[in-house]
Amino acid sequence: MKTPSKNTNCFDDHVRKYEDGACRVDNWKQGANEWSMMISHGTRLDSVVSNLAGTLLEMVAGNMDRTTLVTDVAIDDPREQAELRPGVMLLCIYADVEHLPGLIDRAVANQIPALVLRTPLNLPAELRATIERSGVVLLGLSTGATWTQLVVLLRSLLASSAGAEELLAGLPAEDTFALANAIGALLDAPITIEDRSSQILAFSGRQNEADQSRIETILGRVVPQYAMQAQERAGVFKRLYSSEKPVFFDTPQILGEAGLPRVAIAIRAGNQVLGSIWVAVREPLSPEKEQILVDAAKVVALQLLRHRVSSDVDRQVRSDLIASALASGQAAIGAIERLRLVQRTVVVLGLSLLGDTAGDASSDQTRQQILERTAHAFAFHLSVAAPGAVAALVGDVCYAIMPSMTRQGATNLISMALRVSKDFLDRTPDRAGGAVIGLGRVADSADPTELARSRNDVDRSLRVLKRGPGSRVALFTDLQMDALLLDIGDQLRNEGGLVDGPVARIRHYDKQHGTSLEEALELWLDSFGNALGASAALDLHRNTFRYRLRRAADIAQVNLDDPDERFAAMLEFRLSRLRRDVD
């Protein structure tokens, strides 16, 4: 696409080309055609929907197939039905439910995998069934989102594998600071771009013309705590996020100190607030500059969404590769190569959260957010502390594959993995009950089955660690017996439990007669046959205890002089306690 000249007002140009996301369709179609020549291969449809769900796209009808690829984006213009190539995602900006039967027929004929219409869409049952049978997926553009945002983000996803450089309003899409400088120049004032947590994403030049609070913000890359608290008390964020226009704030009065007022505007994608732009001013902006700020917020929204999608795609790719590498099979070999772990001695680690928030939707959401942040921090920690290590969240576990520092042997690999893991947990707040890390056995990356076995070790280790309390980091070799007991317990539950074993018999007798023979037998076994110590623990005379023990052995039908029968009874007691803990 053509790049605006340096003398062109980039935001006015952006608005002229894409005003309200529904007008300049011809420009869109030209851009889509130019872009399609740059696409070398497709992106999975389910990945596209996953990355844009919640902000721009909604799943309406159809069956998602993991093998379906999107290779291009096209705008459907009923005035001229251009020839469509297979794999195109068709944006039907003029269509409604009544047009769907014809669109579905056209999509099937041209091998179009997905159609996008503006929501809400009230589909009759028969039409929904027709869509299900057709193999076409119907998506909805979320309320409040614009077609412009969808086009730009779809282009970003398709371009992520093509390596093409994009321009946003004539500026390199990667250069957020250049974008901030452009906004500052148009407004003739220093500005900052912040996320929802008041973290600084970018800032323009001329910050020396602002005040002390702004200087502290730039130096710390976040709005100072005292300023945020003052703004919250004054209802600044409530006003900001409820308005679609720039809002003027008398900052000196809010903070109670000398400085400049601010004009701020929320950055939105659909109904979701992504952040805000803050302008240090001496007086309210003129109507012309307010409009510039409104237009700038739209461009910044595209920038932030593009970064989000790019990082989401990277994380998803990394997650898929690690999952494949740890799952054995033919796909593991290719995944190991792409992760640059070929012919390396490695160990698999797994991080998971403790705590239980089952049944509470809001708590589940909070737990997932904490898990994602913790996994991201763990991956970053490994990248610094163990060069070459890779990590990603797969399900509810963050798996990591850590290679040895040399290509031969496993010297100090386990000790390094333990040290790195303990160091991370020591620095991590105990949110959602805290985190635990399990380590599998050392594996040779050339053998995918060894990696899969090491991952299985990690899963079994985490199950033991999450029962707590105890160590937060452990090797599977140190937990193998505990893991084995859990496995035996699972097998027994699948078979309906122990059938009339010694513990079951004595427990049934105690329940019927109100006695406590089970306690005497269990304590004697735990004391390795020390009747004196066991009687003291129960505060009983040793003769009384010995009588109860004989009665318990008779009722349980166990020969306490036989080591095999003693071991069987001890194992049954242990499994019984384990089941109580799990339940």
Side-chain angles (χ1 to χ4, degrees):
M1 298 181 68
K2 296 181 179 180
T3 304
S5 66
K6 293 183 179 179
N7 296 325
T8 302
N9 184 321
C10 57
F11 297 113
D12 288 345
D13 181 73
H14 180 82
V15 173
R16 283 197 300 272
K17 290 177 66 179
Y18 301 116
E19 186 175 0
D20 294 332
C23 295
R24 308 283 180 177
V25 177
D26 292 337
N27 287 340
W28 282 12
K29 289 164 63 181
Q30 178 184 357
N33 289 336
E34 293 176 9
W35 192 259
S36 66
M37 293 186 293
M38 303 175 65
I39 303 301
S40 59
H41 49 79
T43 300
R44 277 178 19 206
L45 176 60
D46 64 332
S47 177
V48 171
V49 175
S50 174
N51 279 291
L52 300 184
T55 54
L56 297 182
L57 288 180
E58 300 175 10
M59 182 72 181
V60 178
N63 297 311
M64 197 76 69
D65 187 343
R66 287 178 59 88
T67 63
T68 301
L69 295 180
V70 176
T71 59
D72 200 354
V73 182
I75 308 297
D76 182 54
D77 188 344
R79 297 171 298 182
E80 53 171 278
Q81 292 194 0
E83 182 180 354
L84 297 174
R85 293 186 296 276
V88 168
M89 178 179 283
L90 195 59
L91 310 186
C92 309
I93 66 175
Y94 296 113
D96 205 341
V97 173
E98 61 186 22
H99 303 108
L100 271 175
L103 288 170
I104 294 297
D105 291 340
R106 188 178 175 209
V108 172
N110 292 277
Q111 299 179 46
I112 303 300
L115 303 172
V116 184
L117 278 70
R118 167 73 71 179
T119 57
L121 295 169
N122 297 316
L123 301 182
E126 293 182 1
L127 182 55
R128 185 178 293 274
T130 299
I131 296 173
E132 300 283 345
R133 291 193 299 269
S134 70
V136 178
V137 174
L138 178 61
L139 305 171
L141 181 67
S142 301
T143 302
T146 68
W147 292 103
T148 303
Q149 292 171 335
L150 181 59
V151 169
V152 172
L153 267 296
L154 286 173
R155 285 175 50 200
S156 297
L157 281 170
L158 292 173
S160 62
S161 58
E165 180 183 40
E166 288 187 87
L167 297 177
L168 287 177
L171 296 170
E174 292 296 332
D175 199 345
T176 312
F177 282 86
L179 191 57
N181 274 323
I183 299 171
L186 291 171
L187 298 177
D188 192 26
I191 71 109
T192 58
I193 301 174
E194 303 173 10
D195 66 10
R196 283 293 300 264
S197 303
S198 296
Q199 297 277 346
I200 300 298
L201 302 176
F203 55 87
S204 69
R206 298 172 52 186
Q207 296 296 332
N208 59 309
E209 299 176 15
D211 48 36
Q212 183 61 31
S213 175
R214 171 60 65 80
I215 293 173
E216 292 179 19
T217 298
I218 297 300
L219 292 176
R221 297 305 297 271
V222 66
V223 176
Q225 191 67 27
Y226 74 88
M228 290 181 60
Q229 292 173 350
Q231 290 170 342
E232 290 173 355
R233 287 194 298 268
V236 167
F237 296 107
K238 184 177 181 180
R239 287 180 57 196
L240 175 62
Y241 296 149
S242 62
S243 174
E244 295 186 359
K245 297 181 178 181
V247 181
F248 179 82
F249 298 109
D250 190 351
T251 304
Q253 183 176 353
I254 293 172
L255 299 184
E257 61 181 34
L260 294 178
R262 303 283 195 270
V263 172
I265 187 170
I267 303 168
R268 287 185 168 82
N271 293 329
Q272 183 179 4
V273 175
L274 303 177
S276 52
I277 302 174
W278 292 78
V279 190
V281 297
R282 298 187 181 278
E283 58 186 15
L285 296 176
S286 65
E288 293 78 12
K289 288 187 175 180
E290 279 197 354
Q291 186 59 44
I292 289 174
L293 187 55
V294 170
D295 298 336
K298 296 177 183 178
V299 178
V300 175
L302 295 177
Q303 172 78 331
L304 298 186
L305 280 172
R306 184 186 184 281
H307 278 298
R308 173 183 291 185
V309 168
S310 178
S311 60
D312 285 348
V313 169
D314 289 342
R315 281 196 296 268
Q316 186 60 50
V317 169
R318 179 63 58 87
S319 178
D320 289 346
L321 287 175
I322 290 179
S324 298
L326 299 178
S328 189
Q330 190 62 32
I333 299 174
I336 291 168
E337 290 179 353
R338 294 183 63 184
L339 292 170
R340 299 180 181 179
L341 295 171
V342 178
Q343 295 182 351
R344 302 292 295 272
T345 301
V346 300
V347 63
V348 179
L349 300 82
L351 176 145
S352 187
L353 293 184
L354 295 170
D356 183 13
T357 56
D360 186 337
S362 61
S363 296
D364 287 343
Q365 184 177 10
T366 302
R367 179 184 174 84
Q368 183 62 28
Q369 292 170 348
I370 294 173
L371 176 59
E372 290 174 358
R373 288 198 296 269
T374 305
H376 179 71
F378 186 48
F380 179 77
H381 178 76
L382 287 175
S383 69
V384 176
V390 292
L393 194 61
V394 181
D396 62 352
V397 176
C398 178
Y399 291 102
I401 306 175
M402 180 186 296
S404 61
M405 302 305 292
T406 60
R407 293 184 179 274
Q408 296 85 21
T411 306
N412 297 328
L413 178 57
I414 290 296
S415 60
M416 181 179 72
L418 283 170
R419 183 176 65 254
V420 169
S421 300
K422 290 176 180 177
D423 184 52
F424 173 76
L425 292 182
D426 288 341
R427 301 165 184 262
T428 305
D430 286 341
R431 294 171 179 158
V436 291
I437 299 176
L439 285 71
R441 71 191 74 183
V442 171
D444 182 355
S445 65
D447 186 351
T449 58
E450 288 192 15
L451 271 176
R453 191 178 297 116
S454 188
R455 181 218 173 132
N456 185 56
D457 292 347
V458 167
D459 291 337
R460 297 175 69 193
S461 298
L462 289 176
R463 189 181 179 197
V464 175
L465 290 171
K466 290 171 72 173
R467 290 177 59 235
S471 175
R472 298 178 64 193
V473 180
L475 295 168
F476 175 69
T477 51
D478 296 333
L479 302 174
Q480 190 170 16
M481 290 301 104
D482 293 308
L484 180 61
L485 287 174
L486 288 172
D487 293 341
I488 295 173
D490 291 341
Q491 181 68 24
L492 289 175
R493 278 192 291 276
N494 292 336
E495 296 176 355
L498 283 170
V499 180
D500 197 26
V503 174
R505 288 191 288 270
I506 197 171
R507 187 170 293 158
H508 179 69
Y509 182 89
D510 280 346
K511 186 176 180 180
Q512 281 192 328
H513 298 84
T515 54
S516 55
L517 300 179
E518 176 190 356
E519 184 180 28
L521 178 57
E522 183 176 13
L523 190 56
W524 182 82
L525 291 170
D526 287 345
S527 301
F528 297 102
N530 184 349
L532 190 61
S535 63
L538 291 176
D539 197 21
L540 293 174
H541 191 275
R542 58 179 179 274
N543 291 334
T544 303
F545 177 81
R546 289 188 176 117
Y547 170 77
R548 288 191 184 182
L549 183 62
R550 287 194 299 271
R551 286 288 298 155
D554 291 340
I555 299 298
Q557 301 175 25
V558 57
N559 180 5
L560 297 182
D561 294 327
D562 187 322
D564 291 334
E565 292 193 29
R566 287 200 308 269
F567 174 76
M570 292 175 67
L571 181 59
E572 189 177 350
F573 273 121
R574 181 65 182 270
L575 291 171
S576 180
R577 289 199 298 267
L578 185 63
R579 182 171 184 178
R580 288 198 300 268
D581 292 341
V582 172
D583 294 341

